[in-house]
Amino acid sequence: MTLLGCVEVDGLAVELVWSRLSDTVLADFRDVEPRRIGTALFNGRPEPVFVAQPGHLDWLGYENRESRILTAAVRLYRIRREA
């Protein structure tokens, strides 16, 4: 597991961690329970997708949060993969 970075989404810290084994990026709240927000999937897909955890669907559906997290995950993932 490799910490890619932390982004702020509407005042909440979201950590993005690359799981090299599954080649996914896990999105977790730093200070909110339950921590896991969802997972960005890359392998075998034309475009990355974000699979949300059911407990955060309402929060993710507001103000394009899911898209913002996926965009940050993809950007940091690509930077790390190219390094």
Side-chain angles (χ1 to χ4, degrees):
M1 303 287 261
T2 303
L3 179 63
L4 296 177
C6 185
V7 295
E8 185 177 308
V9 179
D10 297 337
L12 295 172
V14 176
E15 293 180 341
L16 299 169
V17 178
W18 177 22
S19 171
R20 291 174 182 235
L21 182 62
S22 61
D23 204 25
T24 59
V25 175
L26 309 173
D28 295 328
F29 284 120
R30 181 177 281 167
D31 302 314
V32 174
E33 291 294 333
R35 288 178 45 88
R36 181 65 35 88
I37 302 166
T39 306
L41 306 175
F42 300 93
N43 277 345
R45 302 178 185 289
E47 293 293 323
V49 296
F50 190 78
V51 178
Q53 292 296 305
H56 294 301
L57 289 174
D58 287 340
W59 183 84
L60 284 166
Y62 185 74
E63 299 267 326
N64 247 357
R65 290 172 176 156
E66 181 174 336
S67 175
R68 290 161 46 199
I69 292 171
L70 179 59
T71 299
V74 168
R75 180 176 49 82
L76 293 171
Y77 171 83
R78 288 183 176 154
I79 289 169
R80 183 57 69 113
R81 292 274 317 216
E82 293 172 3

